[in-house]
Amino acid sequence: MEQLKQQVFAANMDLPRYGLVTFTWGNVSAIDRARGRVAIKPSGVAYETLTADDIVVVDLDGNVLEGRYRPSSDTATHLALYRQYPDIGGVVHTHSTHATAWAQAGLAIPALGTTHADYFLGDIPCTRPLSEGEVQGDYEHNTGKVIIETLGDAQPLHTPGAVVWQHGPFAWGKDAHEAVHNAVVMEEVARMAWLARGINPQLKPIDSWLMEKHFSRKHGPNAYYGQREK
Amino acid sequence: MEQLKQQVFAANMDLPRYGLVTFTWGNVSAIDRARGRVAIKPSGVAYETLTADDIVVVDLDGNVLEGRYRPSSDTATHLALYRQYPDIGGVVHTHSTHATAWAQAGLAIPALGTTHADYFLGDIPCTRPLSEGEVQGDYEHNTGKVIIETLGDAQPLHTPGAVVWQHGPFAWGKDAHEAVHNAVVMEEVARMAWLARGINPQLKPIDSWLMEKHFSRKHGPNAYYGQREK
Amino acid sequence: MEQLKQQVFAANMDLPRYGLVTFTWGNVSAIDRARGRVAIKPSGVAYETLTADDIVVVDLDGNVLEGRYRPSSDTATHLALYRQYPDIGGVVHTHSTHATAWAQAGLAIPALGTTHADYFLGDIPCTRPLSEGEVQGDYEHNTGKVIIETLGDAQPLHTPGAVVWQHGPFAWGKDAHEAVHNAVVMEEVARMAWLARGINPQLKPIDSWLMEKHFSRKHGPNAYYGQREK
Amino acid sequence: MEQLKQQVFAANMDLPRYGLVTFTWGNVSAIDRARGRVAIKPSGVAYETLTADDIVVVDLDGNVLEGRYRPSSDTATHLALYRQYPDIGGVVHTHSTHATAWAQAGLAIPALGTTHADYFLGDIPCTRPLSEGEVQGDYEHNTGKVIIETLGDAQPLHTPGAVVWQHGPFAWGKDAHEAVHNAVVMEEVARMAWLARGINPQLKPIDSWLMEKHFSRKHGPNAYYGQREK
């Protein structure tokens, strides 16, 4: 459990390092599937003073098992994603500038180039608005539900992120480190897509064969990017 | 009084730290309500050399009580806000890039997402233009008056900032630290709103229930973001 | 002369510090009016290795009097400005991003707010294109001449900068330090003007009384910004 | 060979220094023409841990001769360029933000000012899309071929870069250091061109005499920018 807390601490500290957060506007969690335990950032604690010891441990129903702080206010969203997607091991939420701008615009981040296709096999979808009842009810849980509804049949590790309507990005991955990696990618492709559409409002989506080529260079059995384990 | 000067010094030094100022284009003050004393940055003194000892103390009429420097040329604007709003304890003025762009555009910064709603319950208003007489008369005092006129019936801690027509942002809070915090938020939501409107010129304002949900997550008796005092 | 070289060195080193240059794309000079000597950056020498000793001294005809390097390739532009305007003591040229974008757009940087008016009493003008003959002839000298033609009757210290058509910004001031200060302002107001017009394409120029008020707060006999000499 | 590896290592480390890469999204190579050896970054190795010893050496057919890692997945593109252009000594590929945005927009980066003309004698071209067959076949080799097809009769050192359709920039130069220098220029002129067209959608391309003047100030027998070898 200490190792999981340490990983979650390190992944949280990557958020300010990559410029994804202002103040405390972000949180990362990871899950230990064997024990059904989720480690997550405490709510509202500054990155400047955060330690691995401050990380909170909850079960999949949100009961706090370890830690002197209250967990992130977004914990219920993280838990909904873990319960739905057995393949994911880490979740991250930020208000990173350009991805949040697409969320505020209410639009999917379109797949416009190979930078995007190296990580996301298709657009990064935007959720529908939550209804008044969904907001006033179990808001954070419903945020998780609407992300799941939006993904539909998509493989979560082929679409490792979404933007929530008028809110901001969530990303995930096989562990906390990869989730943050995908959040950095989302912010950068959100910025590139904004720029590219500004340069050419009639621009075309990426050719499907180019998208599949790039995604499979980095993912799946035929990946040939990077180094193989020896 | 030394403690107030120290707080005002620290809050001023946060302006370059958060990238809100070029040269000396910004100033922060705080008030000691019990004694009716306001501590404020001296005019035109560089942040690189500023010390807590350089902070100037004035009364609510602007008379200098302490300090070897002249106070900020915007002192009269700060004092007008303190006299009108008994709940505020700190005021900040900057020329931060994106908030100033909205001021130059003569438009309120629209509430387009939850990042905005976490701190501002509605648009961040833009003042009307000052008349020729108001500019040539007691200009800085009149700047305070037009901010107050623009806020109207709004609760100042629910709308903790405004942009002044063709000029730039003012923000405030319960103390100097919170005022600077709100100035950082204004700059970031100003940037996000510019981006989001660039992506989708027909974008919709945030749903009212989502705005109220987010504002009340962080403010008021039912706030559940962050840690409670024990 | 060593003092002048030291000032010019320090002012040149401020260009990378304020983010105004990529590689060696900038140069600052200053003049000793009594002796008719101009100290200027050597051409193409990297800021990382530049020393005060590398600064070149020329006379007003461009003859090198001191220094082991060749002076900036833009020296003739600097000299034309010094000969025309007896009040200026420092000149700077950069390719800073946003000011250069206005130069490439072939448009004056419009006076849209008080940030601009604190330093420039009106628009920052853009020169006409140089003719084929002017480019193929004494190009750098002709660049100085077209700046002077563009300023016309304007007071050079009230319009301490211009953008050269399809090229980039030149700025000046009473000494090298103030020239760089004005170059930083040009870049920032160029960025704000681009943003403000993006937000509101119909935006209005700054009210004349507000422009004059702000310029005279910082300049002239009635200035009241900053600290007075005692 | 150690010297070449050291140069390639240093040039690769300049990519994060100049802000051209996120994660491992970039690679630099250099060629020893006498021996027909190319040194290149290993695939997917983080810049934070990269050493000169990690650089891989291949021959012009892509056979690995030295190094414990696999070479960059883009090696075949580099090799195609070296085989075609005997004058170039270094090649670089990045996903730098603004140059990639032009690639995604499917447009050449237009020559709009002297900053551009100092390094590129004309537009920075964008390739045509690769066909499905070209992507599914020898993709990286075909990427090199389409760059060569796009350059056509242009002198590669007069057009030291191109953007690949929906992908990103490649740049080159007489050695690895100059290739990276040109990649920095591409990113900056891509940003300036985006800004300038945003300010003035009707803006004109740079006057031909001004382009030739600036290119020849820095290149060729009559160059007079910088210091001459003594």
Side-chain angles (χ1 to χ4, degrees):
Chain A
M1 201 50 51
E2 289 312 303
Q3 201 186 341
L4 190 73
K5 284 165 68 175
Q6 187 61 46
Q7 285 168 15
V8 167
F9 167 67
N12 271 288
M13 293 311 289
D14 276 345
L15 298 185
R17 188 158 77 92
Y18 285 111
L20 297 188
V21 291
T22 301
F23 299 128
T24 59
W25 305 351
N27 45 73
V28 187
S29 69
I31 189 166
D32 177 332
R33 290 276 174 194
R35 306 190 197 182
R37 298 289 181 266
V38 172
I40 192 164
K41 184 177 176 294
S43 181
V45 172
Y47 286 101
E48 288 85 345
T49 62
L50 188 70
T51 68
D53 221 48
D54 298 338
I55 301 301
V56 184
V57 178
V58 299
D59 64 21
L60 276 164
D61 297 320
N63 301 301
V64 175
L65 304 176
E66 217 179 284
R68 65 182 177 282
Y69 286 122
R70 296 201 295 180
S72 166
S73 57
D74 299 307
T75 298
T77 312
H78 293 238
L79 297 180
L81 296 172
Y82 286 126
R83 284 192 304 259
Q84 180 72 19
Y85 301 126
D87 291 348
I88 71 174
V91 172
V92 56
H93 170 50
T94 76
H95 288 229
S96 70
T97 309
H98 295 86
T100 301
W102 284 93
Q104 293 189 354
L107 295 172
I109 303 171
L112 299 180
T114 64
T115 317
H116 184 115
D118 280 336
Y119 295 91
F120 289 84
L121 191 60
D123 293 352
I124 301 171
C126 181
T127 68
R128 67 164 171 79
L130 292 179
S131 69
E132 183 166 2
E134 286 171 319
V135 169
Q136 287 170 350
D138 194 353
Y139 171 59
E140 290 82 7
H141 176 70
N142 291 333
T143 298
K145 279 176 68 178
V146 80
I147 294 172
I148 292 162
E149 175 191 321
T150 302
L151 248 65
D153 292 333
Q155 249 252 48
L157 292 178
H158 289 191
T159 305
V163 292
V164 175
W165 172 272
Q166 296 180 336
H167 187 162
F170 281 80
W172 45 84
K174 65 177 166 46
D175 56 28
H177 177 77
E178 191 182 283
V180 171
H181 197 100
N182 290 331
V184 174
V185 174
M186 277 183 74
E187 175 59 13
E188 182 62 11
V189 301
R191 188 177 171 212
M192 286 176 171
W194 160 67
L195 287 167
R197 292 198 355 167
I199 290 169
N200 183 0
Q202 276 79 46
L203 89 179
K204 298 179 191 169
I206 189 171
D207 296 324
S208 60
W209 46 88
L210 189 58
M211 175 139 66
E212 277 147 29
K213 172 71 180 177
H214 268 264
F215 191 78
S216 65
R217 285 213 313 176
K218 289 206 173 182
H219 301 86
N222 299 317
Y224 59 94
Y225 182 93
Q227 306 299 324
R228 292 192 191 295
E229 316 275 325
K230 291 185 177 179
Chain B
M1 200 51 52
E2 288 313 303
Q3 201 186 340
L4 190 73
K5 284 165 66 175
Q6 187 62 47
Q7 285 169 15
V8 167
F9 167 68
N12 271 287
M13 293 311 290
D14 277 345
L15 298 186
R17 188 158 77 93
Y18 285 111
L20 298 189
V21 291
T22 301
F23 299 128
T24 58
W25 305 350
N27 44 73
V28 187
S29 69
I31 189 167
D32 178 333
R33 291 278 174 192
R35 305 190 198 182
R37 298 289 181 263
V38 172
I40 191 163
K41 184 176 176 294
S43 181
V45 172
Y47 286 101
E48 288 86 346
T49 61
L50 188 71
T51 67
D53 222 48
D54 298 337
I55 301 301
V56 184
V57 178
V58 300
D59 65 22
L60 275 165
D61 297 320
N63 301 300
V64 174
L65 302 177
E66 216 180 283
R68 64 181 177 283
Y69 286 122
R70 296 200 294 178
S72 166
S73 56
D74 298 307
T75 299
T77 312
H78 293 237
L79 298 181
L81 297 171
Y82 286 126
R83 284 192 304 258
Q84 181 72 19
Y85 301 126
D87 290 349
I88 70 175
V91 172
V92 55
H93 170 50
T94 76
H95 287 230
S96 72
T97 309
H98 296 86
T100 300
W102 284 92
Q104 293 190 354
L107 295 172
I109 303 171
L112 299 179
T114 63
T115 317
H116 184 115
D118 279 336
Y119 295 91
F120 289 84
L121 191 60
D123 293 351
I124 301 172
C126 181
T127 68
R128 65 163 172 81
L130 291 180
S131 69
E132 183 166 359
E134 286 170 320
V135 169
Q136 288 171 350
D138 195 352
Y139 171 58
E140 290 81 7
H141 175 70
N142 292 332
T143 298
K145 279 176 68 179
V146 80
I147 294 172
I148 292 162
E149 175 191 321
T150 302
L151 250 65
D153 292 334
Q155 248 252 48
L157 292 178
H158 289 191
T159 305
V163 291
V164 174
W165 172 272
Q166 295 179 336
H167 187 160
F170 281 81
W172 45 85
K174 65 177 166 47
D175 55 28
H177 178 77
E178 192 182 281
V180 171
H181 196 100
N182 289 331
V184 173
V185 174
M186 277 183 75
E187 175 59 14
E188 182 62 10
V189 299
R191 188 176 170 210
M192 287 176 170
W194 160 68
L195 288 166
R197 291 198 356 166
I199 291 169
N200 183 359
Q202 277 78 47
L203 89 179
K204 297 180 192 167
I206 188 171
D207 295 324
S208 60
W209 46 87
L210 189 57
M211 176 140 63
E212 277 148 30
K213 174 71 181 179
H214 268 265
F215 191 79
S216 65
R217 285 213 313 176
K218 289 207 173 182
H219 301 86
N222 299 318
Y224 60 93
Y225 182 92
Q227 306 300 325
R228 291 191 193 297
E229 313 275 327
K230 290 185 178 175
Chain C
M1 201 50 52
E2 288 313 301
Q3 201 186 341
L4 190 72
K5 285 165 66 176
Q6 187 62 48
Q7 285 168 16
V8 167
F9 168 68
N12 271 288
M13 294 310 291
D14 277 345
L15 298 185
R17 189 158 76 93
Y18 285 111
L20 297 189
V21 292
T22 301
F23 299 128
T24 59
W25 305 349
N27 44 72
V28 187
S29 69
I31 190 167
D32 178 332
R33 289 278 174 192
R35 305 190 197 182
R37 298 288 181 265
V38 172
I40 191 163
K41 184 176 175 297
S43 181
V45 172
Y47 286 101
E48 288 85 347
T49 62
L50 188 70
T51 67
D53 222 47
D54 297 338
I55 301 301
V56 184
V57 178
V58 299
D59 65 20
L60 275 165
D61 297 320
N63 301 299
V64 174
L65 303 177
E66 217 178 284
R68 66 179 177 282
Y69 286 123
R70 294 200 296 177
S72 165
S73 57
D74 299 308
T75 299
T77 312
H78 293 238
L79 297 181
L81 296 172
Y82 286 126
R83 284 193 303 259
Q84 181 70 20
Y85 301 127
D87 290 349
I88 70 174
V91 172
V92 56
H93 171 50
T94 76
H95 288 228
S96 71
T97 309
H98 295 86
T100 300
W102 284 92
Q104 293 190 353
L107 295 173
I109 303 170
L112 299 180
T114 63
T115 316
H116 185 115
D118 279 337
Y119 294 91
F120 289 83
L121 191 59
D123 292 353
I124 299 172
C126 181
T127 67
R128 64 165 172 81
L130 290 180
S131 69
E132 183 166 2
E134 286 170 321
V135 168
Q136 288 170 351
D138 195 353
Y139 171 58
E140 289 82 6
H141 176 69
N142 291 333
T143 299
K145 278 176 68 180
V146 80
I147 294 172
I148 292 163
E149 175 190 322
T150 303
L151 250 65
D153 292 335
Q155 250 252 47
L157 292 178
H158 289 190
T159 306
V163 291
V164 174
W165 172 271
Q166 295 181 337
H167 187 160
F170 281 82
W172 44 85
K174 66 176 165 48
D175 55 29
H177 177 77
E178 192 183 283
V180 172
H181 197 100
N182 289 331
V184 174
V185 173
M186 277 182 74
E187 175 60 13
E188 181 63 10
V189 299
R191 188 176 172 212
M192 286 174 170
W194 160 67
L195 288 166
R197 290 199 356 167
I199 291 169
N200 183 359
Q202 278 79 45
L203 90 178
K204 297 180 192 168
I206 188 171
D207 296 323
S208 60
W209 47 86
L210 189 57
M211 174 139 65
E212 278 147 29
K213 173 71 180 178
H214 268 264
F215 190 79
S216 64
R217 284 214 312 179
K218 289 207 174 181
H219 301 85
N222 299 317
Y224 60 93
Y225 182 93
Q227 306 299 324
R228 291 191 192 297
E229 314 276 326
K230 289 184 179 174
Chain D
M1 202 50 50
E2 288 313 302
Q3 201 185 341
L4 191 71
K5 284 165 67 175
Q6 187 61 47
Q7 284 167 16
V8 167
F9 168 67
N12 271 288
M13 294 311 290
D14 276 345
L15 298 185
R17 189 159 75 93
Y18 285 110
L20 297 188
V21 292
T22 301
F23 299 129
T24 59
W25 305 350
N27 44 74
V28 187
S29 69
I31 189 166
D32 178 332
R33 290 277 172 193
R35 305 190 196 182
R37 299 288 181 265
V38 172
I40 192 164
K41 184 178 176 294
S43 181
V45 172
Y47 286 102
E48 287 85 345
T49 61
L50 189 70
T51 68
D53 222 47
D54 298 337
I55 302 300
V56 184
V57 178
V58 299
D59 64 20
L60 275 164
D61 297 321
N63 301 302
V64 174
L65 303 177
E66 218 179 284
R68 64 180 177 282
Y69 286 123
R70 296 200 296 179
S72 165
S73 57
D74 299 308
T75 298
T77 312
H78 292 238
L79 297 180
L81 296 171
Y82 286 126
R83 284 193 303 259
Q84 180 71 18
Y85 301 126
D87 291 348
I88 69 174
V91 172
V92 56
H93 171 50
T94 76
H95 287 229
S96 71
T97 309
H98 296 86
T100 300
W102 283 92
Q104 293 190 355
L107 295 173
I109 303 171
L112 300 180
T114 64
T115 316
H116 184 115
D118 280 336
Y119 295 90
F120 290 83
L121 191 60
D123 292 352
I124 300 171
C126 181
T127 69
R128 65 166 172 80
L130 291 179
S131 70
E132 184 165 1
E134 286 170 320
V135 168
Q136 288 170 351
D138 195 352
Y139 171 58
E140 289 82 6
H141 176 69
N142 292 333
T143 298
K145 278 176 68 179
V146 80
I147 294 173
I148 292 162
E149 175 191 323
T150 302
L151 249 65
D153 293 333
Q155 249 252 46
L157 292 179
H158 289 191
T159 306
V163 292
V164 175
W165 172 271
Q166 295 180 337
H167 187 162
F170 281 81
W172 45 84
K174 66 177 167 47
D175 56 27
H177 177 76
E178 192 182 282
V180 171
H181 196 100
N182 289 331
V184 174
V185 173
M186 277 183 74
E187 174 61 12
E188 182 63 9
V189 300
R191 186 176 172 213
M192 285 176 172
W194 159 66
L195 287 166
R197 290 196 359 164
I199 291 169
N200 182 0
Q202 277 79 46
L203 91 177
K204 297 179 192 168
I206 188 170
D207 295 323
S208 60
W209 46 87
L210 189 58
M211 175 141 63
E212 278 147 30
K213 173 72 181 178
H214 267 265
F215 191 77
S216 64
R217 285 214 312 178
K218 290 206 174 182
H219 301 85
N222 299 316
Y224 60 93
Y225 182 93
Q227 306 299 324
R228 292 191 190 296
E229 316 275 325
K230 291 183 179 176

